[in-house]
Amino acid sequence: MFDKFRDECGVFGIFGHPEASNHAYLGLYALQHRGQESAGIAASDGQIVRVSRAMGYVNEAFDTASLAKLPGRMAVGHVRYSTAGESRIANAQPILIDSVHGQLAVAHNGNIVNASELRDALVRLGAIFQATTDTEVIVHLFARSREEGPEAAIVDALSQVRGAYSLVLMTKDRLIGARDPHGFRPLAIGRLGDAWVICSETCAMDLIGATYLRDVEPGEVVVISEQGLKSIRPFTPAPKAQCIFEHVYFSRPDSYVFGESVNEVRTEFGRKLAHESGVEADVIVPIPDSGVCAAIGFSEASGIPMRMGLIRNHYVGRTFIEPQQSIRHFGVRVKLNPVRSILEGQRVVLVDDSIVRGTTSRKIVRMVRSAGAREVHMRISCPPTISPCFYGVDTPRRSELIAATHTLEEIRKYLNADSVAYLSMDGMTGAVRGGKQSYCTSCYTGVYPVAFPRDEEAYLQLALKLNPDAEELDLPITIPDLEKDPVAR
Ligand code: SF4
């Protein structure tokens, strides 16, 4: 919403419930923050898998009549924001195919970094692609697999892809969850009575009354059938690289992600930020909604009261149209409004989760000053974002990331703040279980755990090397050597 990294996708699956598609609808509703471009549900009655997909929000994509056409005790669902591939209905998920291994519905969160080369190879072998997503590569590999049966064919397909995937897949009688060996994106398992649920975030379980059991582990494939849950670990183990940005911004604070409460992690980011970069001030003001948890932690640790000095308009939709030329340039004020009674004459600490381009932060500082703040100090609950993501998150070009191209003092001047401070890398990774050994932090370091071919950059729309200015930056991009680093393969 405000100059942020864009969310990726949300996935949901349920097995063994008479109202499977209705529950998938509700689950997707809870995961709406992970993708707003399209929504889809596939359901199986044990014999036939049917799918319905549409552009738009979940509540626009489905109604009672369309859900009634998805009968059965199993369903998988997907909300999409396009990280790879264009925004069009052909790219909406779940993808449903019929093959020699039977029907397969696939819902994917993540990004396959070798999708382009696999796709080229498949096209040379005669494969015909209908969409432009990396996910379609997985279904082609599945359909062409010579392994016996759908489970073995899925493992065969996944063993050929590199990168980030948390998948829910469905055959006519099985629900399958799979997470890549690094575990970039989250995937949780829960129970709803006798039914099983697999989804991106536990907030989807809360809405339908399911209980969170555990995560699908990195490199694990779980197969749920009438016989219960079977776990297999068919891939070579790899170092964990869970996306730390899920805790910083993407996931809902009421979710458990990677086994930890997002709210607690985010609040701890704020506490650590206060310890590292405290400042004399009168009031802590979160930038809603993303800065609230960290601001609570900052306030707790600093002893400075937190107040809602900025109010967000929750009813600004995707299609806000400025009504008339003469009253244009509402800018950020359409979405946020300052509370003068809280800000006037005060030394204010603004707390937000991240700065991407800096344009919105600059407008917010100006707005807070215009409401009478005496001083404005900006505190950010993660380190400076200096590099794009290749693992399923839409990020601007590196040249557009303000922290990649400006010093801290230059950022302070640009924002017109009295001071600016970010949480340190140690502060961030010290707030999560497993620390830096368990997390991907590439967008803060430029060091990537999984190699991507150079020509993938264009495919990923990130244009790291297409931008001539990016070459001139004195910030290292470390890409593992494919020959020397077996893990990166
Ligand atoms: S690069 Fe950043 S956003 Fe992408 S997976 Fe790693 S931590 Fe997450």
Side-chain angles (χ1 to χ4, degrees):
M1 177 181 178
F2 298 123
D3 186 16
K4 296 292 185 196
F5 277 16
R6 299 270 203 108
D7 296 352
E8 334 101 47
C9 296
V11 295
F12 182 92
I14 185 164
F15 180 96
H17 197 285
E19 288 194 58
S21 55
N22 286 335
H23 281 79
Y25 171 81
L26 290 169
L28 294 183
Y29 201 80
L31 297 173
Q32 185 75 83
H33 60 290
R34 297 183 73 88
Q36 299 89 43
E37 286 189 358
S38 66
I41 296 172
S44 171
D45 60 6
Q47 297 300 319
I48 300 173
V49 182
R50 300 173 178 86
V51 70
S52 175
R53 303 175 303 177
M55 302 304 289
Y57 284 13
V58 177
N59 64 348
E60 297 162 346
F62 294 98
D63 56 20
T64 314
S66 58
L67 289 170
K69 290 178 188 161
L70 297 169
R73 294 170 61 81
M74 297 168 57
V76 295
H78 189 264
V79 284
R80 177 167 197 267
Y81 171 74
S82 56
T83 49
E86 313 149 57
S87 174
R88 60 185 172 101
I89 190 66
N91 286 338
Q93 296 188 21
I95 296 174
L96 175 62
I97 60 145
D98 207 346
S99 74
V100 69
H101 305 294
Q103 282 187 293
L104 183 74
V106 181
H108 173 209
N109 175 204
N111 201 47
I112 307 299
V113 298
N114 63 337
S116 201
E117 61 197 46
L118 287 170
R119 186 186 170 105
D120 289 349
L122 287 161
V123 167
R124 278 196 296 277
L125 292 170
I128 296 167
F129 282 77
Q130 296 185 341
T132 56
T133 68
D134 53 336
T135 314
E136 204 179 357
V137 167
I138 297 172
V139 296
H140 275 279
L141 294 171
F142 166 80
R144 285 167 178 269
S145 173
R146 292 172 190 271
E147 296 291 329
E148 277 294 316
E151 276 172 47
I154 287 167
V155 169
D156 183 33
L158 294 181
S159 64
Q160 296 171 65
V161 302
R162 265 197 350 258
Y165 57 82
S166 278
L167 293 157
V168 288
L169 310 104
M170 187 176 66
T171 65
K172 68 178 178 157
D173 58 3
R174 268 152 230 231
L175 178 68
I176 296 157
R179 203 162 152 220
D180 69 77
H182 293 276
F184 282 102
R185 311 254 72 88
L187 198 60
I189 307 173
R191 293 304 299 260
L192 175 59
D194 290 334
W196 293 91
V197 175
I198 302 179
C199 55
S200 298
E201 290 182 39
T202 59
C203 63
M205 295 185 196
D206 296 339
L207 183 59
I208 61 171
T211 307
Y212 170 49
L213 290 185
R214 67 172 179 92
D215 286 353
V216 177
E217 293 296 322
E220 185 183 15
V221 177
V222 294
V223 181
I224 298 168
S225 66
E226 292 298 348
Q227 282 70 51
L229 183 145
K230 180 174 81 178
S231 166
I232 51 175
R233 292 171 187 272
F235 312 118
T236 310
K240 269 193 192 176
Q242 301 171 134
C243 172
I244 195 103
F245 223 89
E246 293 280 354
H247 279 304
V248 170
Y249 173 69
F250 293 136
S251 296
R252 272 175 43 166
D254 49 339
S255 285
Y256 279 73
V257 158
F258 308 132
E260 283 190 270
S261 158
V262 175
N263 174 67
E264 294 308 317
V265 170
R266 228 168 254 178
T267 306
E268 184 62 12
F269 287 161
R271 289 189 199 106
K272 286 184 179 291
L273 183 60
H275 287 309
E276 289 180 1
S277 305
V279 60
E280 292 268 316
D282 304 306
V283 65
I284 309 296
V285 172
I287 295 184
D289 293 328
S290 54
V292 172
C293 296
I296 289 169
F298 198 108
S299 171
E300 258 179 50
S302 64
I304 302 168
M306 185 192 97
R307 301 194 62 191
M308 297 303 287
L310 290 165
I311 301 299
R312 178 177 157 190
N313 181 347
H314 286 264
Y315 301 97
V316 178
R318 284 167 302 167
T319 53
F320 179 77
I321 297 163
E322 293 180 343
Q324 195 179 325
Q325 194 74 16
S326 60
I327 48 173
R328 280 177 73 95
H329 310 304
F330 295 101
V332 76
R333 198 172 278 269
V334 176
K335 297 164 189 164
L336 288 179
N337 200 32
V339 181
R340 180 169 282 273
S341 65
I342 292 176
L343 302 170
E344 194 159 33
Q346 301 295 296
R347 296 169 298 170
V348 176
V349 178
L350 286 176
V351 179
D352 203 359
D353 65 284
S354 56
I355 299 180
V356 178
R357 292 185 178 84
T359 48
T360 304
S361 307
R362 176 183 161 102
K363 287 174 190 164
I364 292 170
V365 171
R366 187 188 303 151
M367 181 192 289
V368 169
R369 284 201 191 281
S370 71
R374 190 148 52 93
E375 292 173 17
V376 181
H377 303 273
M378 182 66 93
R379 294 292 179 270
I380 303 299
S381 62
C382 70
T385 313
I386 59 161
S387 234
C389 176
F390 291 83
Y391 309 127
V393 175
D394 188 45
T395 47
R397 289 166 182 240
R398 190 158 177 263
S399 57
E400 294 174 79
L401 297 170
I402 190 169
T405 51
H406 294 72
T407 65
L408 193 62
E409 175 57 14
E410 287 168 343
I411 294 170
R412 187 198 67 74
K413 275 193 192 145
Y414 175 75
L415 300 183
N416 191 25
D418 291 280
S419 72
V420 175
Y422 291 82
L423 182 61
S424 69
M425 181 64 77
D426 285 346
M428 180 176 69
T429 54
V432 285
R433 204 180 299 148
K436 64 177 70 155
Q437 303 309 322
S438 298
Y439 279 86
C440 173
T441 54
S442 302
C443 47
Y444 306 109
T445 60
V447 179
Y448 292 92
V450 175
F452 45 88
R454 291 281 161 165
D455 62 3
E456 288 294 312
E457 290 150 8
Y459 160 69
L460 285 168
Q461 305 161 349
L462 296 168
L464 196 64
K465 298 295 171 192
L466 297 182
N467 173 10
D469 298 337
E471 291 286 2
E472 292 163 19
L473 295 171
D474 189 27
L475 286 164
I477 294 280
T478 307
I479 300 169
D481 186 326
L482 280 173
E483 299 307 318
K484 291 184 189 151
D485 183 0
V487 166
R489 274 194 162 273

